[in-house]
Structures are given as C-alpha cells and as structure tokens.
Amino acid sequence: MITYQNLYLEIRRRLRKAGFPGADLEARELVCCGSGKTRQEFYRDGSMYTSPATEAAVHALADRHIGGEPVAYLIGEWEFYGLTLDVNESVLIPRADTEVLAEAAIGYVKDQGACRVLDLCAGSGCVGLAVAANAPECQVLLGDISEPAARVCRQNIRRCGLTGRVSVMTMDALEPPPRGIGKFQCVVCNPPYIPKADIDTLERSVKDFEPYLALCGGEDGLDFYRAAAGMWKEVLAENGRIYFEVGIGQADAALRLMRGAGFGGLEVLPDTRGIPRVVYGTAMEAV
C-alpha cells in the first residue's frame, strides 16, 4: 500500500527521469485523473492510502504519457487563461504562449464596449472564450473547419457558462467568409502555422497526437495569414483589428502580408520568452 503523496512522488520521479520539464504539475494531474480525485481532494487526502487498482491506473497513465501521449488528452481537460477547458485529439492543446494573444485581444475589446469578436481557427475555443469571459459586453463567434473541434467548442461554451454570448459556426479560413456573417470589431486567429516539411521534426507528443489539420500551415507555414489578411479583412468593421499568433521567425512575413493587404497600425508583441508571438493591425477603412 502507498499513500497518495508517495504515489505522486513516485510518478514525478518517473516523469523527471524521462525528461519531462513539467513533471511536478503533470504527476499531480495523472494522480488526480487515475484516482478520480479533484486537486483539492488530492491535497486533503495526501496521507491516506490508495487502493492497488488506483495505483495501477495511475502508473498506466504515466506509461502512456512517457510513451508520448500528452497529459491534456489523458485527463481530457487543460487550463487556459483561468478557464478549465475540455480538450481531446480533435483540437490543439492550449499553450501558455497563446495567452499573449488572448491578453492582447482582451485589452482591446474591453475598450470597445458592446461589440462582436470572431475567433477564427478556434480549435478548443480557448482564445475566444477567454475574451468573452473577460470582456463581458462582447459577443463572440468561434469558427473552425472541423466539426469535431466545433463540438469541443460547444462543450466549452457550456462549461464556461457563456452560452448566452458565445456561438459556434463551421467555416474554412482558407475560403472567403460565409455570406451573412456580418462585421466584427475584432478578429483573433491562432492558425495552423507549421511549414509542411517541419511537421516530422516536431516532438512525438505533437506530431503523433495533436491534429495535423491544426498544425500544418502549408509549404511555408503562411497559408492562413495570406487568406485571413486578404479575404477575411472584409469582416472587420472600420477601425477593427485582427490579432494573429505567429510561429518563431514568422512575425516579419506576417507583417508584410498585412501591410500588403492595407492594414495599418501594425504591432508585434513578444511572449514570455521574448519571442515575437503576436502581430496585429487595424482595418483603416470599411471594406
């Protein structure tokens, strides 16, 4: 027999030995998932003994994670900007870097009062939901080409208690906007941006488990920036803004595309490591 605290320490040791930098958090999440406990119950019951079945279940989850499967998919949820969101293999796992995109858009939208926001390439809906949760006067539309991703968005709208202000529509960001979609004061977009040839170089946990459709941005990784800066500019209201997350080394190319499409007020924002992560611009006149 082993206590919950010692089981946690054992799983943490295994993950550290396997080279996982987030072993502390991941071990806790695996113990909670395998035991069916909340985090609060885990901390409360740390000195209690687990059952052999629970110990086996937690070690089985650790085996899968060490084999490459992301913790977020194993436990079925992940944290983003203070929200706990459902995730599965249909959507990318929300990253801390993407909180830079959410924070920038929230700061802008809060100043707009009652307005409409489009989260294009929404995935789990994490960015649009963070905007809606922190800018209570706005209405948000989550758009993604994947119907399984749209289902995850609907689950997360309900989970976050935002049914009245957030809706979902399937749409293809590489095609012109659907007719009748209307105008938006703000568009946020964290598109697929990995160049096709680079997909095989990604960590196994990404390339083998996260959706290819949400990773590949075409031959040079810029297909979605071209489409959004060009075709999707028309959904922006006058003086509306579009915010993009960009991959490492892509900020300048994204800015050139936006400048060529007639956007003004172009800016670049770094992530927590100082890497250019968000670019945004303003539609200087209504289309």
Side-chain angles (χ1 to χ4, degrees):
M1 298 281 281
I2 186 173
T3 65
Y4 285 100
Q5 178 64 16
N6 285 337
L7 177 58
Y8 161 77
L9 293 173
E10 193 172 306
I11 298 301
R12 187 180 70 175
R13 179 190 58 77
R14 290 187 61 194
L15 298 185
R16 284 180 173 177
K17 185 178 179 181
F20 289 99
D24 292 26
L25 179 149
E26 292 175 344
R28 182 197 69 192
E29 294 299 319
L30 294 177
V31 172
C32 288
C33 181
S35 64
K37 287 187 179 293
T38 65
R39 290 167 197 159
Q40 291 75 20
E41 290 168 341
F42 164 70
Y43 291 124
R44 182 194 68 196
D45 300 340
S47 61
M48 294 177 61
Y49 288 100
T50 69
S51 68
T54 292
E55 186 179 353
V58 172
H59 276 285
L61 289 170
D63 290 341
R64 289 169 65 183
H65 183 42
I66 291 168
E69 201 164 344
V71 167
Y73 292 155
L74 289 169
I75 68 176
E77 64 182 32
W78 206 241
E79 301 286 324
F80 181 83
Y81 211 84
L83 303 174
T84 303
L85 302 173
D86 289 358
V87 295
N88 61 31
E89 290 84 351
S90 302
V91 299
L92 284 185
I93 300 164
R95 264 69 167 182
D97 288 340
T98 302
E99 294 192 355
V100 179
L101 174 65
E103 186 163 7
I106 288 165
Y108 172 67
V109 172
K110 274 185 172 179
D111 290 338
Q112 305 306 307
C115 67
R116 299 181 73 223
V117 178
L118 171 63
D119 182 356
L120 188 61
C121 305
S124 65
C126 62
V127 177
L129 290 165
V131 173
N134 289 276
E137 292 187 73
C138 72
Q139 298 279 332
V140 176
L141 177 62
L142 308 177
D144 201 283
I145 190 174
S146 162
E147 181 52 43
R151 284 197 292 273
V152 174
C153 283
R154 293 185 188 100
Q155 293 167 212
N156 283 327
I157 292 170
R158 290 191 294 271
R159 183 166 189 173
C160 295
L162 292 167
T163 303
R165 293 195 295 112
V166 184
S167 56
V168 183
M169 180 185 293
T170 53
M171 57 184 73
D172 185 348
L174 295 178
E175 296 294 330
R179 291 181 62 182
I181 196 173
K183 297 285 186 179
F184 299 86
Q185 192 63 33
C186 180
V187 174
V188 292
C189 184
N190 178 18
Y193 55 64
I194 307 297
K196 188 175 182 180
D198 291 352
I199 298 290
D200 284 341
T201 69
L202 299 175
E203 293 181 11
R204 181 164 181 257
S205 63
V206 178
K207 69 179 180 179
D208 289 356
F209 291 94
E210 300 201 61
Y212 180 86
L213 192 66
L215 294 170
C216 184
E219 295 299 327
D220 62 359
L222 301 174
D223 283 1
F224 288 84
Y225 303 113
R226 290 191 190 91
M231 292 185 291
W232 287 77
K233 184 185 179 187
E234 70 179 61
V235 306
L236 279 171
E238 188 169 356
N239 296 317
R241 278 189 189 169
I242 189 166
Y243 288 81
F244 289 115
E245 178 172 322
V246 295
I248 294 173
Q250 292 179 323
D252 287 345
L255 288 172
R256 283 195 297 273
L257 289 168
M258 295 171 75
R259 190 176 293 114
F263 284 91
L266 300 174
E267 298 285 349
V268 181
L269 301 174
D271 62 20
T272 54
R273 297 170 293 170
I275 296 168
R277 182 61 61 188
V278 171
V279 299
Y280 69 87
T282 302
M284 305 308 288
E285 58 183 33
V287 177

